Amino acid sequence: MTHAAPVSPVDRAGLRQRVDQALSDFLAGRRSWMTDLDEALVPVADAIEDFVLGGGKRLRPAFAYWGYRGAGGVDTDAVVTALAALELVQASALIHDDLMDRSDTRRGEPAVHRRFATWHRTAGWGGSPDGFGDAAAILLGDLCLVWSDELLHSAGLDPRTVARARPDFDEMRTEVTVGQYLDVVTQATGDTSLERASKVARYKSAKYTVERPLLLGSALADASADVRVAYSAYGLPLGEAFQLRDDVLGVFGDPTQTGKPAGDDLREGKRTYLVAAALEAADEADRAVLLAGLGNQDLDQAGVVRLRDLITATGALARTEQRIATLTDAALAALSAVDLDTEARQSLVDLAIAATRRTD
């Protein structure tokens, strides 16, 4: 396997800085409009700017950009600005996801619903602080999704170019939304099958993290059909591997790097591939322990350690790591089947490594 180059593919061509600048400029314009409307919207502008500009790996714009370049697309600031819209889709998904999971933090800071609940509580307003925070998170997530459309259309691209990309952009947002619902219903029904866990991972995260951004970039470049086929063959397994790494970090990750409490996925009761594999391999007694701990909001650190040890002992962690490796190898093999720009091909290889070996 090719080793990642010293310069991250997210930073090549000044990409991260250019994406951040595009987002900053766009959000500054939206702030001006909102604060002219009503100063009560200042906290909304503050919260979205903090969330969008205060962190994030920028992987989705990177996959889209190098997919665009790989298909022969010429670098322009308008293209980078259009691809920055993916970060607003990501912000929407994360704000809503944190609310649905009742997560306290995101990237080491209070989740949006917690932030607004605290503001309500501190101000001494009437009604429920948590209810206010929940409503604010729903609306801010919706606003980010609306703005993703606006940024794509206002980036300065030819309308015919934007029209080519619309089907992928629209399908991506539909897929991540129904994937979120499948995640919720899977937790509610207690479905522990590997098939269900894989489907949730594919639609909630995998497709909109890698495959759809690649196809979006390829559409902007007016790529050939064989390039789009290769991008799907690369993007689908890699996106699943990315989500599996996320699942491992959700149980075994270091909170100082992930920005979320240790074992948060266990307290939230997420039926991930990792958990499904453990339940499939566990004996009756261990299965009962694992099911009792999943979704227990009062699970302490000792309980988290016990469940971690159980997941490891069943072989589920090793099985998940092996699947990550297998999926990543399949993704990399798909790139060899199509003619791509040399720099873009290497960047896609390096992105695959970065996405599946990350610790945050």
Side-chain angles (χ1 to χ4, degrees):
M1 182 180 290
T2 305
H3 292 288
V7 177
S8 165
V10 179
D11 294 308
R12 291 172 202 164
L15 184 59
R16 187 194 305 271
Q17 182 179 1
R18 294 165 70 192
V19 167
D20 287 349
Q21 188 62 56
L23 291 168
S24 180
D25 291 346
F26 176 80
L27 292 176
R30 295 292 76 203
R31 168 185 285 276
S32 178
W33 184 90
M34 288 193 296
T35 54
D36 284 347
L37 174 63
D38 198 304
E39 65 179 27
L41 293 171
V42 170
V44 173
D46 289 343
I48 293 180
E49 285 180 353
D50 289 347
F51 195 91
V52 173
L53 302 177
K57 303 175 184 66
R58 307 301 189 233
L59 283 175
R60 290 160 187 84
F63 278 115
Y65 174 81
W66 291 113
Y68 170 81
R69 289 283 305 277
V74 177
D75 185 353
T76 68
D77 286 340
V79 166
V80 173
T81 299
L83 298 180
L86 291 165
E87 286 298 305
L88 293 174
V89 179
Q90 167 74 340
S92 173
L94 293 181
I95 290 170
H96 286 162
D97 193 46
D98 286 343
L99 172 60
M100 289 184 286
D101 291 342
R102 311 309 305 178
S103 297
D104 292 327
T105 61
R106 168 69 62 178
R107 300 171 186 153
E109 298 294 332
V112 168
H113 61 286
R114 300 298 188 205
R115 173 175 177 150
F116 278 84
T118 299
W119 183 39
H120 180 289
R121 192 172 291 110
T122 301
W125 292 344
S128 165
D130 289 338
F132 177 81
D134 292 356
I138 292 169
L139 294 169
L140 266 65
D142 288 350
L143 193 55
C144 286
L145 196 60
V146 170
W147 284 352
S148 71
D149 244 345
E150 183 177 343
L151 183 54
L152 176 65
H153 280 277
S154 64
L157 295 176
D158 183 277
R160 290 170 297 181
T161 300
V162 176
R164 277 200 312 269
R166 282 262 22 149
D168 288 310
F169 192 68
D170 291 342
E171 194 76 1
M172 174 190 67
R173 294 185 301 167
T174 296
E175 286 168 348
V176 69
T177 303
V178 299
Q180 287 276 25
Y181 177 77
L182 289 176
D183 188 27
V184 170
V185 77
T186 297
Q187 291 185 58
T189 60
D191 190 332
T192 60
S193 68
L194 286 169
E195 179 185 5
R196 171 61 69 172
S198 293
K199 179 177 285 187
V200 169
R202 187 177 311 121
Y203 284 92
K204 180 184 174 183
S205 180
K207 289 175 75 67
Y208 104 100
T209 297
V210 185
E211 185 202 22
R212 285 298 173 187
L214 282 167
L215 294 178
L216 176 67
S218 73
L220 292 176
D222 200 12
S224 62
D226 63 325
V227 169
R228 287 178 62 85
V229 168
Y231 279 171
S232 285
Y234 163 87
L236 281 172
L238 182 60
E240 186 175 348
F242 172 90
Q243 182 57 45
L244 292 179
R245 174 60 61 210
D246 205 51
D247 294 342
V248 170
L249 292 174
V251 175
F252 294 93
D254 180 351
T256 64
Q257 296 191 55
T258 64
K260 300 192 77 175
D264 224 26
D265 281 6
L266 298 173
R267 295 187 186 90
E268 292 164 9
K270 290 190 175 181
R271 262 54 177 183
T272 62
Y273 180 94
L274 177 69
V275 168
L279 288 168
E280 182 180 81
D283 61 26
E284 187 175 343
D286 286 342
R287 182 182 173 87
V289 171
L290 187 52
L291 287 173
L294 284 173
N296 179 1
Q297 295 292 323
D298 296 323
L299 192 67
D300 59 16
Q301 186 57 33
V304 168
V305 170
R306 184 180 184 189
L307 294 187
R308 282 175 174 171
D309 290 345
L310 190 156
I311 290 169
T312 303
T314 63
L317 177 59
R319 181 177 179 180
T320 303
E321 291 288 358
Q322 181 56 54
R323 182 158 178 78
I324 290 172
T326 299
L327 289 166
T328 304
D329 288 345
L332 294 175
L335 289 180
S336 65
V338 67
D339 184 31
L340 298 175
D341 170 85
T342 301
E343 183 184 13
R345 182 192 301 277
Q346 186 59 51
S347 293
L348 290 173
V349 169
D350 295 342
L351 277 169
I353 296 169
T356 57
R357 294 184 183 178
R358 73 192 197 280
T359 58
D360 60 1

